[in-house]
Amino acid sequence: MLRGRKSRWVILLCLLLAVAMLAGCSSKENTEDNKDADQSQEVIKLGFLGATTGDVANYGIPGKKGMEMAIDDLNAQGGILGKRVVGVYEDNKGENSEIALIATKYITRDKVVAMVGDPCTGLTKVAADIAQKNKVVIFSAGATGTEVVEIGDYVFRNTLLDQFAVPSVVDWMMNSKGWKNFAIITSLNIGYSTALTPVFQEAIKAKGGKIVIEDTINNGETDFTAQITKLKNAGADVLVFTGYYREAALLQNEAKKQGLDITLLGGDGLYGHDLIKLGKDAVEEKVIYYCGFSSDQPSPETAAFIKKYEERFKEQPDMFSAQYYDAVMILAKAMTDAKSSDPSVFKNELAKLKDYPGVSGNTTFRADREPIKSPICLITVKDGEFYLLEKIPVNVQ
């Protein structure tokens, strides 16, 4: 009987010890979890949106470098609100499905306070919808198409917009170059192109120009024999192509092959070094694109950025590296001014941005959060390099 009582006491004592040990482990785990939470609060995370492989990698690769440099510069100055800034980087490959997964991961797992990118309008819209629903800021460093910031008050961008640029560019073509008859080719499977084409159509009509032929391609095609054959007999003074750099190079290659001497003009979708690599002498002074940045004739801020960028990456920066850099710095300014890294708080300061002297030019947000940037840089290809042809003012009412 005593032995039975003693056994029961031993068992009870073991159970109490086990409970105490479990409680201790749970307490330790909770302490570790709290420690991890505290550590996560000591940093401010920014998510990169862009392609580093695929058809639009010429935008994402330099953009990623610009973002990395901006984050390093911020951390060298003490970070944001005394917290270290951390970049989170994934490759969306220029695909809608990928950017949707990445944006969701950044928000739910990585706990970013803002996403920087994507340069492409269609991709930006996919990520912006996710950002708006989750109340996280997205700041595109390149999307120029319509119906982007309209998605919601967490959506921003800092690029020269087509709606402001195109009328000035068409005016320059007609009055400075004497081009009155226009051909337009659209890439049907790219949102950027299908949105830009109507902007050109409207501006050409408003300025009294004539569209003599319109045609289409699909991004990814390589044979443009039919399109150039039709273009040869259309009597166009200039070809407006609203797609990307790869197809622009191939169109000009085919034009040269068929003996058609015509200049191709487009937006900053043509801004990619593969334009030169693929087009070679067919694009020499035969392609012009407009954008909001040029390394030629730089401001003091831009000159300092170019020098530092070249020293670090052994190459010249482009529009995307400059705009990603500015996007990060503008986000930092908004958080500092708001004294908060909470997106629901600092987005309001972000919307107040006026005359920010960035490395990609001066930026002001209108009441609708659309950016005003001036002047427009007209870029061509000369001696195998991008070359500033002219700067023209933006007429914004």
Side-chain angles (χ1 to χ4, degrees):
M1 194 73 176
L2 288 171
R3 184 179 296 175
R5 287 182 179 178
K6 185 177 181 181
S7 298
R8 286 196 293 273
W9 279 109
V10 170
I11 292 170
L12 180 59
L13 182 61
C14 289
L15 287 170
L16 289 170
L17 287 169
V19 170
M21 288 176 66
L22 286 171
C25 289
S26 177
S27 176
K28 183 179 179 182
E29 287 173 0
N30 287 337
T31 301
E32 291 298 322
D33 288 343
N34 289 337
K35 183 179 178 183
D36 289 343
D38 289 342
Q39 287 177 341
S40 69
Q41 291 170 3
E42 290 171 1
V43 301
I44 291 174
K45 292 183 179 180
L46 302 177
F48 164 81
L49 294 177
T52 54
T53 61
D55 288 344
V56 291
N58 275 201
Y59 310 148
I61 291 173
K64 181 172 179 283
K65 292 175 181 177
M67 180 170 171
E68 289 170 341
M69 199 168 96
I71 288 174
D72 287 348
D73 285 353
L74 284 172
N75 286 330
Q77 299 162 14
I80 302 173
L81 302 172
K83 299 178 181 180
R84 186 168 63 90
V85 186
V86 175
V88 187
Y89 303 92
E90 299 282 355
D91 172 18
N92 67 39
K93 303 172 185 175
E95 298 175 4
N96 286 343
S97 58
E98 286 291 331
I99 198 170
L101 290 171
I102 289 168
T104 302
K105 170 186 173 291
Y106 282 166
I107 294 168
T108 60
R109 188 185 305 176
D110 298 312
K111 307 299 182 184
V112 302
V113 300
M115 296 182 286
V116 183
D118 186 277
C120 301
T121 299
L123 292 166
T124 294
K125 289 180 179 180
V126 173
D129 186 60
I130 295 168
Q132 182 67 30
K133 288 175 181 175
N134 287 277
K135 301 187 184 308
V136 170
V137 167
I138 181 172
F139 197 128
S140 174
T144 59
T146 58
E147 298 178 0
V148 174
V149 301
E150 292 89 340
I151 291 171
D153 58 347
Y154 286 82
V155 185
F156 297 84
R157 53 184 171 181
N158 68 332
T159 192
L160 174 68
L161 298 185
D162 297 323
Q163 60 181 306
F164 301 141
V166 168
S168 296
V169 172
V170 170
D171 187 71
W172 174 83
M173 284 194 286
M174 295 185 67
N175 295 318
S176 295
K177 304 298 290 184
W179 296 334
K180 310 291 185 184
N181 299 311
F182 297 82
I184 300 178
I185 294 181
T186 306
S187 287
L188 288 177
N189 58 339
I190 298 177
Y192 167 77
S193 184
T194 56
L196 181 55
T197 290
V199 181
F200 266 105
Q201 290 170 329
E202 183 179 339
I204 290 168
K205 182 179 179 181
K207 300 287 183 181
K210 182 179 180 182
I211 299 172
V212 295
I213 184 173
E214 293 192 60
D215 209 339
T216 61
I217 64 167
N218 281 308
N219 203 55
E221 291 179 349
T222 58
D223 184 0
F224 301 128
T225 305
Q227 287 86 352
I228 298 302
T229 298
K230 286 188 283 184
L231 182 58
K232 284 178 69 176
N233 302 314
D237 299 319
V238 61
L239 166 60
V240 172
F241 176 57
T242 58
Y244 290 155
Y245 52 84
R246 181 178 176 273
E247 286 67 31
L250 297 179
L251 280 165
Q252 288 301 80
N253 283 341
E254 182 60 33
K256 182 183 178 186
K257 181 180 176 182
Q258 293 195 32
L260 175 60
D261 182 16
I262 194 167
T263 296
L264 180 151
L265 183 142
D268 55 20
L270 305 186
Y271 199 158
H273 285 282
D274 279 356
L275 173 74
I276 299 171
K277 183 178 179 181
L278 294 172
K280 298 179 181 177
D281 58 346
V283 300
E284 278 277 324
E285 300 187 65
K286 287 298 176 185
V287 170
I288 299 171
Y289 63 85
Y290 65 84
C291 66
F293 172 82
S294 173
S295 58
D296 296 330
Q297 303 174 23
S299 67
E301 293 87 0
T302 305
F305 168 75
I306 292 170
K307 183 176 184 295
K308 192 169 187 177
Y309 189 96
E310 288 177 340
E311 288 173 351
R312 176 167 177 169
F313 298 111
K314 311 305 178 188
E315 64 186 29
Q316 274 203 343
D318 66 7
M319 178 186 74
F320 300 105
S321 48
Q323 288 183 169
Y324 268 85
Y325 183 94
D326 278 347
V328 172
M329 290 302 186
I330 291 170
L331 286 167
K333 182 182 186 304
M335 290 182 222
T336 301
D337 291 347
K339 298 181 176 58
S340 174
S341 58
D342 181 344
S344 66
V345 177
F346 75 77
K347 73 175 176 66
N348 298 321
E349 288 298 324
L350 194 55
K352 299 175 185 176
L353 188 74
K354 301 293 181 186
D355 295 319
Y356 178 78
V359 301
S360 67
N362 278 24
T363 302
T364 292
F365 288 141
R366 303 193 314 177
D368 59 2
R369 302 186 316 288
E370 289 287 36
I372 300 172
K373 295 188 80 168
S374 184
I376 301 168
C377 298
L378 297 174
I379 311 293
T380 190
V381 179
K382 188 173 181 180
D383 299 326
E385 300 288 344
F386 289 126
Y387 173 80
L388 178 63
L389 185 64
E390 194 169 338
K391 287 185 178 182
I392 57 177
V394 180
N395 182 22
V396 182
Q397 301 298 328

